[in-house]
Amino acid sequence: MYYETKFLAATPFGRVGKFVLMLIILGLMTSCGKKDAEEKASQTIVRVNGDEITVHQLNNELQRANVQPDQQEAAGKQITQKLVDRQILVQEALKTKLDRNPRVMQAIENAKLQILAQAYLEEKASSLAKPTEAEIADYHAKHTDIFANRKIYVMEEVVFAVDASKTKELESLSDSAKTLDDVTQWLDANQIKSARTKAAHAAETLPPELLDKLTKMVVGDLIFINSSGRTVAGRLIEIKEVPISEKDAKPLIERILTGQKRKQAAEVEMTRTRSAAKIEYINKKFEPNADASAAQQTTKPITPADPALAKPAKPAEVAKPAGDGKVESHIEKGLSGL
């Protein structure tokens, strides 16, 4: 067989056949190269100084932003421009060797570790079963205040901040004020800046204990809420009945229950992995101990409302007021709260 092949290669016919074979192989290689180049070009949507931004990057951003299919074309253009801007800034950062900056390197490493940890928990949660019909029905029945009997509370609000030295005066104001004008007069007299606005708060956007208090209010009630250094004086001006049908409630409840299950699964997995891990605190001051636990338990938690400022007959918590002074869309705000 070896001699026969050698003989054919030595003949004119053999040399021609070998030449043709080489052309065929070269053609196939060129074809594959063109195909790969065309495929790569079809995935590239824009080049920034030679760096490519692909359709996969765009799709990933669209997915992260949870953009609906009918809005993807318009949103895609905006996101593409943001990707272009980001790439330009990355190129400038690389020019100045910021990628070698210790702080930047540490931030990149921290982000990488966070992504890996999150991916592990999401992988564990991906196998969870969907909420059953019975679970959905049970949740719906137990939360009539945010579904069948759902209400929207429209508030007129004055938002301001006071220092600790005026806490007693503010408590007195909360007891004596009858209208928001009384509040603004006190603020003007004390030269305290404030913002007056309206906002609509759906039942499901409020903490359960505060929602329970809101249900006891009537139109015209005045309330004071102190939260994170900011005080909101609000007057209830309207209560709207906006129930959510059982059909519309089902997907919302399914998302709520799925989120709860994922959270529980993450806590269980975290407990398991922590108990199996060998953890050594080299610097003992960072080790959890009884003193730290006791201090944590005795520390007053940050709560949405300060009981010292809420009148018994008029307590409530309101979400952050709209900055433009207009009544927010209660349907949009309510459903986003879920």
Side-chain angles (χ1 to χ4, degrees):
M1 184 67 180
Y2 166 75
Y3 295 104
E4 181 181 359
T5 304
K6 185 176 181 181
F7 172 76
L8 286 174
T11 63
F13 176 79
R15 287 194 295 269
V16 172
K18 188 175 181 180
F19 179 70
V20 171
L21 181 60
M22 290 176 63
L23 288 177
I24 293 173
I25 294 174
L26 183 61
L28 289 173
M29 292 175 63
T30 304
S31 176
C32 291
K34 287 183 178 179
K35 185 177 180 181
D36 291 341
E38 289 174 357
E39 183 178 353
K40 187 176 181 181
S42 66
Q43 295 174 351
T44 302
I45 55 178
V46 62
R47 287 191 180 91
V48 182
N49 296 325
D51 291 340
E52 297 180 345
I53 296 175
T54 67
V55 68
H56 300 299
Q57 290 175 272
L58 175 60
N59 289 338
N60 182 56
E61 294 297 328
L62 289 170
Q63 184 177 3
R64 288 178 56 193
N66 196 27
V67 178
Q68 299 303 311
D70 59 335
Q71 300 175 336
Q72 288 190 356
E73 183 175 352
K77 293 181 180 179
Q78 296 178 1
I79 292 177
T80 297
Q81 293 309 308
K82 292 185 180 298
L83 290 174
V84 168
D85 292 343
R86 184 180 71 180
Q87 192 60 40
I88 291 172
L89 294 176
V90 167
Q91 291 172 352
E92 293 300 314
L94 293 175
K95 286 180 183 178
T96 57
K97 294 182 171 50
L98 273 177
D99 57 321
R100 301 179 188 178
N101 183 292
R103 291 188 300 106
V104 175
M105 293 174 67
Q106 185 62 57
I108 292 173
E109 183 62 21
N110 289 342
K112 176 183 175 182
L113 295 175
Q114 181 62 35
I115 291 170
L116 285 172
Q118 188 66 30
Y120 176 79
L121 289 178
E122 289 181 357
E123 180 69 19
K124 287 295 181 180
S126 63
S127 59
L128 294 175
K130 285 186 174 183
T132 64
E133 294 291 335
E135 290 174 328
I136 294 174
D138 181 64
Y139 190 92
H140 187 272
K142 291 180 178 179
H143 296 82
T144 57
D145 52 347
I146 60 175
F147 294 110
N149 301 328
R150 178 173 179 262
K151 293 180 176 62
I152 305 296
Y153 299 90
V154 183
M155 310 287 296
E156 185 179 7
E157 302 166 352
V158 175
V159 185
F160 56 94
V162 297
D163 55 45
S165 63
K166 293 189 177 295
T167 300
K168 293 295 183 181
E169 294 180 50
L170 188 57
E171 290 180 9
S172 298
L173 177 67
S174 67
D175 291 331
S176 61
K178 303 299 181 183
T179 66
L180 286 184
D181 289 336
D182 294 338
V183 177
T184 54
Q185 288 175 12
W186 180 84
L187 292 172
D188 292 341
N190 288 273
Q191 297 182 337
I192 299 173
K193 295 181 179 180
S194 64
R196 192 160 181 163
T197 185
K198 289 182 180 179
H201 309 286
E204 68 275 9
T205 65
L206 301 170
E209 66 278 7
L210 297 174
L211 175 60
D212 180 63
K213 294 177 181 179
L214 263 179
T215 58
K216 297 179 176 63
M217 293 179 63
V218 296
V219 172
D221 276 355
L222 189 67
I223 61 163
F224 284 75
I225 307 98
N226 185 20
S227 176
S228 302
R230 186 187 67 168
T231 301
V232 177
R235 184 176 71 90
L236 182 61
I237 59 177
E238 186 179 4
I239 301 176
K240 298 181 179 180
E241 299 280 349
V242 190
I244 300 178
S245 68
E246 189 172 352
K247 178 182 177 182
D248 292 334
K250 183 177 178 179
L252 299 176
I253 296 174
E254 187 172 350
R255 287 206 296 271
I256 293 171
L257 294 179
T258 298
Q260 291 178 354
K261 287 187 175 184
R262 290 172 69 91
K263 182 180 178 181
Q264 291 170 359
E267 291 173 349
V268 170
E269 184 62 17
M270 194 67 253
T271 301
R272 184 191 70 79
T273 53
R274 177 178 281 273
S275 63
K278 182 181 179 181
I279 305 173
E280 299 178 77
Y281 290 92
I282 309 303
N283 190 329
K284 297 301 181 182
K285 75 176 184 179
F286 295 104
E287 184 176 2
N289 51 55
D291 292 338
S293 299
Q296 186 176 8
Q297 291 175 1
T298 56
T299 301
K300 182 180 179 181
I302 298 176
T303 56
D306 189 339
L309 294 180
K311 300 179 185 179
K314 306 175 183 179
E317 167 62 89
V318 292
K320 186 177 181 180
D324 57 5
K326 297 179 181 178
V327 177
E328 298 173 347
S329 168
H330 52 268
I331 294 296
E332 181 179 351
K333 181 176 177 62
L335 296 184
S336 66
L338 285 174

